[in-house]
Amino acid sequence: MSNVPWLTTIVLFPIFASLLLSILPRDGNRIIRWYTLGICILEFLMITYIFYCHFQFDSQSIQLVEIFSWINSINFHWIVGIDGLSMSLILLTGFVTTLATLAAWPITRNTRLFYFLMLVMYSGQIGLFVSRDILLFFFMWELELIPVYLLLCLWGGKRRLYSATKFVLYTAGGSIFLLVAALTTSFYGNEVPSFAIQALIDKSYPISLEIALYLGFLIAYAVKLPIFPLHSWLPDTHGEAHYSTCMLLAGVLLKMGGYGLIRINLEVLIHAHFFVRSWLILIGAIQIVYASLASMSQRNLKRRIAYSSISHMGFVAIGIGSLTNAGINGAILQMISHGLIGAALFFLAGTCYDRTRTPFLNELGGMATRLPKLFTMFSIFSLASLALPGMSGFVSELLVFLGVIIDKQYSYLFKITITLLEATGTVLSSIYLLSMLRRMFYGYKLSNESNPYLIDFGPREIFTSTCFFLPILGIGLYPNLILPLRNGEVLSILLPYSAIK
């Protein structure tokens, strides 16, 4: 079994399995749903097997490296490998995608195409996290574009075409910068290009070129993460997409930007990151406050949660910029924590819409007595999102706070300013989340009392919500469930910076 190319298998399995959807019965929606769910579960089981049987926790090097020739004329190879950082995000991808597939159960229109697109996304996301070749990284980055566009266009809301077009323009525009920067790093100093990420790490660049490359990569990652001011596509996309698509966007797609920022900018462009990092921290702190204020003004439930996602991603930017063990671990943990909490909140928002037929907060109210299970789950995940102690969000944000405070490269004034902005964002998040709960579940107004869809959670919804809740609680109570997975990788990333400091 040690000779099996496990990483290549988990990348290609979902997309090849999706091709078999075409031979399933034409009117077999139930069979298509069960088949897709079975593929997702089997993929997640393979990921779990790799994690428990082949991944070495005490190793700081890239593991399970697989190299296959692809296009020899340009020295382009299929190179994949994992470390603690990529392994944690691969596990997150498998977990969220499986639950998003279960959440999409009510979809009955063109289910064959819908689940085909979800499985293609699954392969693209796994492929990006295992890529050790920057051209392969770009290929997997772009593989997400068409499935998300079609999922928006075909299963979105009234303004779905506008949102889908905006998503493509932002993402494709950022991808141009990613491609140019990737090709420049690969061709610089070589007659024959070298696309392997390890070869790029071993290179040295003039500081002016390195900063230009850093900014090129940063623009692409800032769109996906997203980082202010390249964030405006996200509320529109979340506001119109089906909630199972929102779960994939919030749970996995946004993490691709944070992963690229760590994998490429931190590891390859060391001097540029050291030069730019204070600006990254400042932008992240401003983003936390700005997005929190914007969230408070949203009447649409999914748009309010979308701005909440933008705010929480500000902590990722701050943690990455801190260049401390606590800060970067906090940023990675925040990506995982938000992947779980954000996906859960969009699932609950979608199930709420299925029952009330309205996304607007001012048309809701008084649902706590009628839908007590939905009320309980919404309250739990909202408290998790506002970083309640004992939940995963509290640990990740605390580590980011500490990461900035213990960084000796910054003045006390800078630390105080960033800490105050972070604290302000945390307070504001409590306000807009508790206000959301009050307007949805309390008071005397009940949306359409005679609505036949206004029924409480069933077994599928309770199971999905519980699956999200358990890891959020587990990480919050015992963060060492996750932190040792990539602590060695963070230390190896930070090692070259000790010479610069």
mmCIF file of all heavy atoms in Angstrom, residues 11 50 54 68 127 134 191 214 217 222 225 257 272 287 317 358-359 386 401 403 411 487:
data_model
loop_
_atom_site.group_PDB
_atom_site.id
_atom_site.type_symbol
_atom_site.label_atom_id
_atom_site.label_comp_id
_atom_site.label_asym_id
_atom_site.label_seq_id
_atom_site.Cartn_x
_atom_site.Cartn_y
_atom_site.Cartn_z
ATOM 1 N N VAL A 11 -6.918 13.515 -5.519
ATOM 2 C CA VAL A 11 -7.179 14.652 -6.402
ATOM 3 C C VAL A 11 -8.068 14.237 -7.570
ATOM 4 O O VAL A 11 -9.036 14.923 -7.915
ATOM 5 C CB VAL A 11 -5.857 15.256 -6.928
ATOM 6 C CG1 VAL A 11 -6.146 16.318 -7.997
ATOM 7 C CG2 VAL A 11 -5.059 15.874 -5.790
ATOM 8 N N ILE A 50 -5.076 8.514 4.876
ATOM 9 C CA ILE A 50 -3.754 9.103 4.625
ATOM 10 C C ILE A 50 -3.251 9.827 5.865
ATOM 11 O O ILE A 50 -2.078 9.722 6.244
ATOM 12 C CB ILE A 50 -3.832 10.073 3.426
ATOM 13 C CG1 ILE A 50 -4.137 9.302 2.139
ATOM 14 C CG2 ILE A 50 -2.530 10.859 3.278
ATOM 15 C CD1 ILE A 50 -4.469 10.198 0.959
ATOM 16 N N HIS A 54 -0.298 7.495 7.082
ATOM 17 C CA HIS A 54 0.880 7.866 6.298
ATOM 18 C C HIS A 54 1.482 9.211 6.675
ATOM 19 O O HIS A 54 2.612 9.491 6.294
ATOM 20 C CB HIS A 54 0.524 7.882 4.805
ATOM 21 C CG HIS A 54 0.151 6.542 4.262
ATOM 22 N ND1 HIS A 54 1.078 5.569 3.956
ATOM 23 C CD2 HIS A 54 -1.059 5.996 3.975
ATOM 24 C CE1 HIS A 54 0.467 4.494 3.502
ATOM 25 N NE2 HIS A 54 -0.840 4.720 3.513
ATOM 26 N N PHE A 68 5.330 13.224 -11.453
ATOM 27 C CA PHE A 68 5.076 12.594 -12.752
ATOM 28 C C PHE A 68 5.329 13.620 -13.844
ATOM 29 O O PHE A 68 4.941 14.792 -13.707
ATOM 30 C CB PHE A 68 3.635 12.077 -12.847
ATOM 31 C CG PHE A 68 3.269 11.091 -11.779
ATOM 32 C CD1 PHE A 68 2.561 11.487 -10.653
ATOM 33 C CD2 PHE A 68 3.638 9.763 -11.888
ATOM 34 C CE1 PHE A 68 2.210 10.581 -9.657
ATOM 35 C CE2 PHE A 68 3.300 8.843 -10.909
ATOM 36 C CZ PHE A 68 2.589 9.255 -9.787
ATOM 37 N N GLY A 127 -6.645 19.494 -5.052
ATOM 38 C CA GLY A 127 -5.476 19.644 -5.905
ATOM 39 C C GLY A 127 -4.653 20.865 -5.571
ATOM 40 O O GLY A 127 -3.413 20.818 -5.611
ATOM 41 N N ILE A 134 4.160 25.404 -9.109
ATOM 42 C CA ILE A 134 3.384 26.643 -9.108
ATOM 43 C C ILE A 134 2.460 26.740 -10.319
ATOM 44 O O ILE A 134 1.403 27.371 -10.255
ATOM 45 C CB ILE A 134 4.326 27.867 -9.026
ATOM 46 C CG1 ILE A 134 3.544 29.082 -8.534
ATOM 47 C CG2 ILE A 134 5.021 28.140 -10.360
ATOM 48 C CD1 ILE A 134 4.388 30.223 -8.058
ATOM 49 N N GLU A 191 17.506 29.599 -17.837
ATOM 50 C CA GLU A 191 17.230 29.472 -19.263
ATOM 51 C C GLU A 191 16.036 28.555 -19.492
ATOM 52 O O GLU A 191 15.232 28.768 -20.387
ATOM 53 C CB GLU A 191 18.463 28.922 -19.991
ATOM 54 C CG GLU A 191 19.657 29.870 -19.985
ATOM 55 C CD GLU A 191 20.818 29.318 -20.781
ATOM 56 O OE1 GLU A 191 20.662 28.235 -21.367
ATOM 57 O OE2 GLU A 191 21.875 29.975 -20.809
ATOM 58 N N TYR A 214 5.593 39.952 -5.018
ATOM 59 C CA TYR A 214 4.775 39.783 -3.818
ATOM 60 C C TYR A 214 3.418 40.454 -4.006
ATOM 61 O O TYR A 214 2.372 39.865 -3.697
ATOM 62 C CB TYR A 214 5.509 40.382 -2.616
ATOM 63 C CG TYR A 214 4.824 40.152 -1.293
ATOM 64 C CD1 TYR A 214 5.234 39.116 -0.463
ATOM 65 C CD2 TYR A 214 3.785 40.963 -0.861
ATOM 66 C CE1 TYR A 214 4.613 38.899 0.767
ATOM 67 C CE2 TYR A 214 3.152 40.747 0.356
ATOM 68 C CZ TYR A 214 3.580 39.713 1.160
ATOM 69 O OH TYR A 214 2.958 39.501 2.361
ATOM 70 N N PHE A 217 1.186 38.448 -6.472
ATOM 71 C CA PHE A 217 0.548 37.314 -5.793
ATOM 72 C C PHE A 217 -0.519 37.797 -4.811
ATOM 73 O O PHE A 217 -1.599 37.207 -4.704
ATOM 74 C CB PHE A 217 1.595 36.488 -5.049
ATOM 75 C CG PHE A 217 2.423 35.589 -5.919
ATOM 76 C CD1 PHE A 217 3.796 35.747 -6.012
ATOM 77 C CD2 PHE A 217 1.829 34.572 -6.656
ATOM 78 C CE1 PHE A 217 4.560 34.912 -6.812
ATOM 79 C CE2 PHE A 217 2.581 33.728 -7.465
ATOM 80 C CZ PHE A 217 3.951 33.903 -7.542
ATOM 81 N N ALA A 222 -5.760 38.313 -2.329
ATOM 82 C CA ALA A 222 -6.656 39.259 -1.661
ATOM 83 C C ALA A 222 -8.079 39.151 -2.192
ATOM 84 O O ALA A 222 -9.036 39.412 -1.463
ATOM 85 C CB ALA A 222 -6.130 40.687 -1.835
ATOM 86 N N LEU A 225 -9.344 35.742 -0.474
ATOM 87 C CA LEU A 225 -9.363 35.600 0.992
ATOM 88 C C LEU A 225 -10.667 36.058 1.627
ATOM 89 O O LEU A 225 -11.189 35.296 2.468
ATOM 90 C CB LEU A 225 -8.153 36.318 1.588
ATOM 91 C CG LEU A 225 -7.830 36.054 3.049
ATOM 92 C CD1 LEU A 225 -7.633 34.586 3.320
ATOM 93 C CD2 LEU A 225 -6.616 36.840 3.486
ATOM 94 N N GLY A 257 -7.074 31.503 -0.609
ATOM 95 C CA GLY A 257 -6.295 32.738 -0.587
ATOM 96 C C GLY A 257 -5.312 32.780 0.571
ATOM 97 O O GLY A 257 -4.143 33.148 0.408
ATOM 98 N N ALA A 272 10.451 40.411 0.810
ATOM 99 C CA ALA A 272 9.299 41.253 0.494
ATOM 100 C C ALA A 272 8.232 41.156 1.580
ATOM 101 O O ALA A 272 7.625 42.166 1.956
ATOM 102 C CB ALA A 272 8.714 40.844 -0.861
ATOM 103 N N GLN A 287 -9.972 46.133 8.086
ATOM 104 C CA GLN A 287 -11.000 45.267 7.504
ATOM 105 C C GLN A 287 -11.926 44.701 8.566
ATOM 106 O O GLN A 287 -13.138 44.589 8.356
ATOM 107 C CB GLN A 287 -10.317 44.138 6.742
ATOM 108 C CG GLN A 287 -11.253 43.073 6.200
ATOM 109 C CD GLN A 287 -10.524 42.035 5.361
ATOM 110 O OE1 GLN A 287 -9.628 42.364 4.606
ATOM 111 N NE2 GLN A 287 -10.893 40.777 5.517
ATOM 112 N N ALA A 317 -5.221 37.802 7.960
ATOM 113 C CA ALA A 317 -4.196 38.715 7.437
ATOM 114 C C ALA A 317 -3.285 39.213 8.549
ATOM 115 O O ALA A 317 -2.056 39.293 8.366
ATOM 116 C CB ALA A 317 -4.875 39.894 6.728
ATOM 117 N N THR A 358 -38.147 34.027 2.896
ATOM 118 C CA THR A 358 -37.664 35.409 2.847
ATOM 119 C C THR A 358 -36.265 35.460 3.437
ATOM 120 O O THR A 358 -35.994 34.810 4.450
ATOM 121 C CB THR A 358 -38.583 36.367 3.616
ATOM 122 O OG1 THR A 358 -38.025 37.690 3.583
ATOM 123 C CG2 THR A 358 -38.741 35.944 5.073
ATOM 124 N N PRO A 359 -35.359 36.261 2.823
ATOM 125 C CA PRO A 359 -34.018 36.403 3.385
ATOM 126 C C PRO A 359 -33.856 37.659 4.238
ATOM 127 O O PRO A 359 -32.772 37.916 4.758
ATOM 128 C CB PRO A 359 -33.146 36.514 2.121
ATOM 129 C CG PRO A 359 -34.025 37.247 1.160
ATOM 130 C CD PRO A 359 -35.456 36.836 1.473
ATOM 131 N N LEU A 386 -18.879 34.830 17.382
ATOM 132 C CA LEU A 386 -18.417 36.003 18.121
ATOM 133 C C LEU A 386 -17.323 35.669 19.130
ATOM 134 O O LEU A 386 -16.996 36.449 20.010
ATOM 135 C CB LEU A 386 -19.581 36.725 18.794
ATOM 136 C CG LEU A 386 -20.432 36.006 19.859
ATOM 137 C CD1 LEU A 386 -19.791 36.014 21.226
ATOM 138 C CD2 LEU A 386 -21.809 36.678 19.917
ATOM 139 N N PHE A 401 -4.201 37.816 18.513
ATOM 140 C CA PHE A 401 -3.936 38.918 19.437
ATOM 141 C C PHE A 401 -2.525 38.800 20.010
ATOM 142 O O PHE A 401 -1.743 39.753 19.981
ATOM 143 C CB PHE A 401 -4.955 38.911 20.584
ATOM 144 C CG PHE A 401 -6.195 39.710 20.330
ATOM 145 C CD1 PHE A 401 -7.349 39.097 19.894
ATOM 146 C CD2 PHE A 401 -6.217 41.073 20.546
ATOM 147 C CE1 PHE A 401 -8.505 39.813 19.657
ATOM 148 C CE2 PHE A 401 -7.364 41.815 20.324
ATOM 149 C CZ PHE A 401 -8.517 41.180 19.877
ATOM 150 N N GLY A 403 -0.037 37.076 18.906
ATOM 151 C CA GLY A 403 0.991 37.125 17.884
ATOM 152 C C GLY A 403 1.475 38.529 17.601
ATOM 153 O O GLY A 403 2.678 38.756 17.381
ATOM 154 N N SER A 411 6.443 48.892 17.365
ATOM 155 C CA SER A 411 6.419 49.816 18.500
ATOM 156 C C SER A 411 5.179 49.572 19.341
ATOM 157 O O SER A 411 4.204 48.957 18.898
ATOM 158 C CB SER A 411 6.433 51.262 17.993
ATOM 159 O OG SER A 411 5.238 51.536 17.269
ATOM 160 N N ASN A 487 2.523 22.728 13.766
ATOM 161 C CA ASN A 487 3.440 23.573 14.519
ATOM 162 C C ASN A 487 4.863 23.485 13.964
ATOM 163 O O ASN A 487 5.574 24.482 13.859
ATOM 164 C CB ASN A 487 3.421 23.176 15.998
ATOM 165 C CG ASN A 487 4.137 24.190 16.868
ATOM 166 O OD1 ASN A 487 3.834 25.380 16.815
ATOM 167 N ND2 ASN A 487 5.094 23.738 17.645
#
